[in-house]
Amino acid sequence: MSSVDDSSRDDDRETVRAQADRLGLSVGDDLLGELATVVRQAAEGDANPSEKGDGAVDVPEAPGEWMCHAGHRAEDSENALLAVYDESRTRTDVGPLAGVTVAVKDNIAVRGLEMTCGSAAYSVVPSFDATVVSRLLDAGATIVGKANMEPLAMGPTGEFSDFGHVTNPLDSERVAGGSSSGSGAAVAAGTVDLALGSDTGGSVRIPAACCGVVGVKPTHRLVPRYGFVDFAPSLDTVGPLARDVSTAATALEAIAGPDHRDPTSVDCTASSGTPLDGVTEELADPDDAAGLTVAVPESPLGRADDRVAAAVEGAVDRLGDLGVATDRVTLDFDGLDDAYLNVGAAEFSWLLAGSGVVRGQGSGYNEELLAAFRSARQNGLGDHVARRVLPAAVLDAETDGEAYAAGRRRAVAFAESLAAVFESADALVLPTLGVLPPRVGETTTREDLLPLVANTAPCNLVGVPAVTVPVATVDGLPVSAQAVAPRFADATALRVAGALERVAE
Ligand code: GLN
């Protein structure tokens, strides 16, 4: 009996090893054993390795030598920033973002500043600006530097950057959220006014919610990704974080719109949705939201921590004072988190196999960034990335793509149920996180990650816009709601977010 177990264990190790070799991920014996167990449990339909005490991840030490990273700002006590300009960079002092200081997540190219994607394996000093950065400069913004992040944008807490963990300025015992950890912390601390983050499964909205600021995940393909290092191209979006909805909306207006260097980017004014033009003026009108209807789903509220649910319910009730009607709806979120984890990690494994490009999926055709991606792969992306990618890569290979297709089908079904909701409601409002910001060191397994992405990742799977706003405080910690709207109705999501901001306590 035990020899059968031993041989199936050996088979599982070989399966993981084969994928690791194919993708250029080097894994030590311990990690191989851990991932073989994960793969075995997944095959047996047991999705809870943590109960067996396996799969726990060591949280890296607090910031060490990397605190002295060149250009690091002494006043950045959150370790939110990485490379910064000696003198902050502006292109023009006129424009809607004149005087607004910006940190840019370190997976977005900024000319002359080292880019690491939060990984010690990745390094390039781009000779060019990502389209979004160039557009912010054209709108008058001042670029300060790069924001710390989880390695390759994987991780929901801000504890795993190779350059030290990011501290939550509201409460150092709570995580800053991830993966755009430095973006959230730098905005919340007042180090900058605005930050760019990226959101594949919640990575703008999770740190925004943990740090008590506004975060925008735009409609997929509204904002061009040229100069951005993808995690999962069909889910990836670049979006702004700010201390108020108006600044975030102004930034989104500046960065949205097609770019020939990202052939997947689209012109929102040419689509069926609402163009962004004028949204900042609308937000300034206190009666702007009157007449809108928001849908509130029972199940995510039911799944949320009681205090989080009550705080979001309270905000929704107060929306009535602004003339916003509420509609209770039932939405089935089951299986969406698994779909997200499989789709996201499988797409990253294709990027690894394709040396940085998934053909037809967008933005990765820049030689500097492709060369940096190839070198990073050679240098070894490390255990954190391997843990995320290999289980999905094994599943993808063993099911010949069927697991990925099943995830996509689940997303299509969810998109259909969401479309039905939007027939009678302008937007959906639900808690951004179902829980309060976790304590540092508490999020170690896949199961710990799930409550953090449960309400955010479904939006990425269907491409819709979602704007998160802090609406209340519980035990001194922020609780945020997100406004979700139909694809390309980003202006509506912003207007509902503006209303939530007005009724925040
Ligand atoms: N933090 C989430 C995760 O680790 C989302 C990642 C992201 O959006 N980049 O999956």
Side-chain angles (χ1 to χ4, degrees):
M1 179 68 198
S2 83
S3 68
V4 174
D5 281 356
D6 286 350
S7 81
S8 59
R9 171 166 291 271
D10 286 348
D11 287 351
D12 292 336
R13 290 169 75 97
E14 277 321 301
T15 305
V16 177
R17 163 102 56 214
Q19 287 304 319
D21 289 348
R22 186 177 72 85
L23 301 177
L25 291 168
S26 83
V27 287
D29 273 353
D30 287 354
L31 182 55
L32 202 62
E34 176 191 321
L35 292 175
T37 307
V38 170
V39 163
R40 165 66 32 201
Q41 285 165 337
E44 286 166 358
D46 176 355
N48 197 358
S50 64
E51 277 179 7
K52 297 183 170 55
D54 288 327
V57 177
D58 289 336
V59 176
E61 294 286 302
E65 56 181 321
W66 292 106
M67 280 295 283
C68 305
H69 202 253
H72 199 97
R73 301 193 129 197
E75 66 266 37
D76 169 30
S77 45
E78 290 74 31
N79 195 33
L81 300 183
L82 297 175
V84 296
Y85 284 121
D86 290 339
E87 275 183 50
S88 297
R89 177 172 162 221
T90 45
R91 186 174 285 166
T92 166
D93 55 8
V94 287
L97 292 172
V100 173
T101 53
V102 185
V104 178
K105 186 175 183 177
D106 207 25
N107 56 359
I108 300 169
V110 177
R111 181 162 57 83
L113 290 182
E114 189 197 8
M115 175 170 173
T116 68
C117 300
S119 167
Y122 189 106
S123 178
V124 62
V125 179
S127 65
F128 70 103
D129 290 312
T131 303
V132 284
V133 171
S134 190
R135 288 180 178 176
L136 289 180
L137 285 164
D138 283 342
T142 300
I143 307 292
V144 172
K146 305 304 292 290
N148 204 350
M149 60 180 282
E150 298 283 62
L152 278 303
M154 295 174 193
T157 64
E159 296 167 287
F160 294 99
S161 166
D162 284 342
F163 305 101
H165 86 238
V166 175
T167 305
N168 187 333
L170 301 184
D171 182 341
S172 60
E173 287 178 11
R174 302 284 172 158
V175 301
S179 64
S180 311
S181 331
S183 302
V187 169
T191 311
V192 291
D193 303 316
L194 176 73
L196 289 180
S198 64
D199 193 311
T200 308
S203 278
V204 162
R205 289 163 289 161
I206 297 166
C210 289
C211 294
V213 299
V214 174
V216 181
K217 176 243 172 277
T219 299
H220 185 242
R221 300 165 63 191
L222 174 66
V223 174
R225 302 196 317 273
Y226 178 75
F228 163 72
V229 178
D230 275 314
F231 168 177
S234 81
L235 309 174
D236 288 329
T237 51
V238 172
L241 297 89
R243 286 186 293 279
D244 55 70
V245 176
S246 167
T247 306
T250 307
L252 182 62
E253 256 193 281
I255 61 177
D259 170 21
H260 67 278
R261 291 165 298 186
D262 172 2
T264 68
S265 62
V266 294
D267 183 353
C268 67
T269 57
S271 80
S272 55
T274 316
L276 282 162
D277 276 355
V279 68
T280 35
E281 288 87 69
E282 284 166 4
L283 285 168
D285 173 1
D287 296 324
D288 175 48
L292 292 177
T293 300
V294 297
V296 182
E298 309 278 2
S299 61
L301 276 179
R303 279 192 309 183
D305 171 308
D306 287 349
R307 294 170 305 168
V308 170
V312 173
E313 288 280 6
V316 168
D317 285 349
R318 295 192 298 279
L319 284 179
D321 301 339
L322 301 180
V324 177
T326 308
D327 199 6
R328 295 280 154 177
V329 294
T330 307
L331 270 173
D332 179 8
F333 284 74
D334 282 354
L336 288 170
D337 31 26
D338 269 342
Y340 160 66
L341 288 174
N342 284 340
V343 166
E347 288 190 16
F348 191 78
S349 78
W350 303 343
L351 283 167
L352 283 174
S355 296
V357 177
V358 180
R359 299 272 166 218
Q361 286 270 23
S363 61
Y365 309 99
N366 175 286
E367 263 317 312
E368 281 180 35
L369 298 193
L370 288 179
F373 192 87
R374 283 193 292 267
S375 306
R377 187 174 174 272
Q378 244 163 16
N379 295 339
L381 289 172
D383 289 0
H384 181 75
V385 171
R387 263 193 191 92
R388 175 61 77 89
V389 174
L390 283 174
V394 168
L395 194 62
D396 193 38
E398 292 200 331
T399 64
D400 195 19
E402 172 53 25
Y404 180 88
R408 276 276 153 230
R409 281 197 300 274
R410 181 66 192 90
V412 169
F414 183 65
E416 282 166 5
S417 58
L418 209 49
V421 167
F422 290 141
E423 275 174 21
S424 54
D426 298 288
L428 184 75
V429 173
L430 69 165
T432 310
L433 304 177
V435 291
L436 293 172
R439 289 179 194 285
V440 171
E442 200 175 73
T443 308
T444 55
T445 65
R446 183 181 181 277
E447 281 60 45
D448 298 332
L449 182 146
L450 293 180
L452 296 172
V453 298
N455 288 353
T456 54
C459 301
N460 302 76
L461 280 170
V462 300
V464 294
V467 181
T468 177
V469 193
V471 292
T473 305
V474 170
D475 289 349
L477 298 167
V479 171
S480 293
Q482 58 180 336
V484 179
R487 280 162 54 81
F488 298 105
D490 298 60
T492 307
L494 287 163
R495 291 171 63 204
V496 172
L500 286 165
E501 183 177 53
R502 283 183 204 280
V503 301
E505 288 188 324

